[in-house]
Amino acid sequence: MTVDPAINFMVFDMLQRILSLADKPDQLGTYITSQMRELVGAKTVVLLRHNADGGAEHHTLIGVCPQRRRGGSEVRLVERIADISHDVHEPQIVRHEERTDEIGELLKDFGTGTSIIVPLEYGTTRVGLLMMVDILDTNNIESVIASLHALSGVLALELRNAGFYLALEHTVEERTRALRASEQALRIKDWAIESAITPVAISDLHERLTYVNPAFLGTWRYGSAEEVVGKTVHEFWQLGERSAEVVEALRTKGSWIGELTAKRKDGTTFDAQIAASMVVDEHKNPVCMHASFADITERKINERILSDVQRRESLGVLTSGIAHDFNNLLGTMMGNISLAQTRIPPEHPAAANIEKALSAMEHAANLTKQMLAYSGKGKFQNRTIDVTEVVREHISLMNVSLPKNVRFETHLAPDPVYIDGDPGQIEQIVMNLIINGGDAIGDRQGVVSVEVSQVHMTPDALAPFGILTGVSLKPGYYALLCVTDNGCGMSAETRTRIFDPFFTTKFTGRGLGLSAVLGIIRSHDGGIAIESTEGAGTTFRVLLPILHNPASAAVPAEAPPRDAEHETTQAKPLVLIIDDEHEIATMAQEMLTTGGYATLVEVNPVRALELYTERRTDIGMVLLDLTMPEMSGKEVVEALRAINPGVKIMISSGYTEDDVMKRLSTATVSGFIQKPYRLQSLLAMTKRIVCEDR
């Protein structure tokens, strides 16, 4: 078999070009097919790479001339021809009319001429396949076959190398993409830490800071990372005795969460929560420590305030119960002593002693009122009042209650500021706050001022006012009472205890003081906020709900006294006394008997209802205790109303009238008398009730 010199020259030139394209696999296939088409004069030239992925052998098109659409029917045909030509190991001439197997049938789809199939093998390994379909000039085909014998080995080697290059390129591309993705992920992590609102710090294993984020700098009030990096963590937070505990936790568990005191650049401190962790490498070796922080100063203050509010609420419930029981005891004593007073002549030597005892009991009753004020049950005689007028009427008293070295100032609204309240209790608020301001100023010169105004409060502005009282305040208009002093101010710890009963920074035994103020404000559905700086003074700001239509809430004038002569002609009715305290019930019975009233006594409310049902036509009034076992006062009132809608009921209780009316809700009564009471008070109230509508 001879080789045409012209073909040899073309093959040699093509080999030079093929070698130069070894590292350009994407161009190699196009060049080989186009040059072979020109060399052989074929209608179509196809170059395929042999693949053996996971044992399944197949061929993939890498070059075709003229160009065909990848995935088209012709390309699929040549890929199928290559797949079934696995037993072809040398260049073969295929004449369609002579080949009756599947290869021949498939080649007919490309044309009716002669084709050449050249296996490309490196040693015994199939690398690819070169197909020249429908050769136009077959006269020199033997020389072409000879040249292809020499060329196939070089083509196989270059195709194999091109495969390596492709694999290498693919690997490089994949690793480049992975590296870029990893770099992007690291950048995102950096951005996330830099942008985080949570302070973050990283230190080496010697506890020296190597990184802090902007949030850390802002929280610790540093201007740049250079001021922080390189310093030990102990310059920024103190763990104290827990240092060993933290180190052990990081060493054994890898993390620690707790609270600590942090120190800012300016020397101030704040409470912080820290979540620390040990950072390890792929071999579990520690490389650094990571910590994130949260400033919990405000949370800790709110927790302390909440704890104090809950403690004061518990004390309030206890105080209210004690005041109620104390009033019952005082009621028994005062009632019996009042009776004793009626049984001796005024000139008797013991008369003065009895009067002094009664006076002392009234002072004791006032003490229970202060206890009720502390518990928030202190609305005693609410009516429409102008807060500016209450302050104005007592300016002289307020002024003399302060030391001479303290100047007293008032800043009162020009127009009335109406609320629904007890003027005595509002006066007590102002007096206690003024005296507190005078104590804070001490012996030096100072000023205490009182300001009254009407303000509109938004939800945000109201937030600090309901914390101490536990009252949920609604947005709207309020009376604002401000008492300001330029005294010594208060520490954060003092502010949390200032409303505790008997608490003072001056001396012991001061009394309920500001604790009663808090109770009064709570009972008026108000709020209080404190602004204080040590060494600069304190401002107490009190909010009380404004009364927009004072005329409608005015207390009706008392009815003129009834004609005494007319009253004496009326027979005194039978009074049913219902009280589970036997001593109080019998005392009330004796008092009413002294006043000329017939009485029935029952300590059990169920039996009392049965008795009333039997004697309802004879009973003119019911004297009812509010708090009893088995049935509440409200239930007894409703049951009496069910029996007789017109029944006259006087409620007697150690609680205040306002609190009693809230407990009774919609159940109406004819009158109220607060324990303890004197004989004259009980007889006067009874007379008023039984004489109504007679």
Side-chain angles (χ1 to χ4, degrees), residues 106-153:
L106 292 172
L107 286 171
K108 287 179 182 178
D109 292 332
F110 285 92
T112 57
T114 301
S115 299
I116 298 176
I117 298 176
V118 181
L120 304 178
E121 296 181 346
Y122 182 77
T124 59
T125 303
R126 172 70 67 89
V127 176
L129 193 72
L130 180 64
M131 296 175 56
M132 288 152 283
V133 183
D134 207 358
I135 296 172
L136 303 177
D137 183 7
T138 60
N139 294 326
N140 205 19
I141 196 167
E142 294 298 332
S143 295
V144 171
I145 288 294
S147 297
L148 290 176
H149 268 291
L151 185 62
S152 63

Side-chain angles (χ1 to χ4, degrees), residues 33 41 63 80 85 103 105 131 141 222 274 287 300 356 379 426 449 464 468 490 554 598 613 615 617 649 658 666:
T33 53
R80 174 58 184 161
S85 61
I103 292 177
E105 293 298 322
M131 296 175 56
I141 196 167
Y222 283 88
I274 177 175
V287 293
K300 298 285 282 188
K356 288 179 181 179
K379 286 186 180 177
I426 301 304
S449 66
L468 291 168
M490 292 182 284
T613 303
R615 302 285 301 275
T617 55
I649 304 170
D658 188 73
T666 57

Side-chain angles (χ1 to χ4, degrees), residues 330-341:
L330 285 175
T332 303
M333 290 188 287
M334 185 177 287
N336 281 294
I337 293 177
S338 294
L339 286 169
Q341 190 178 40

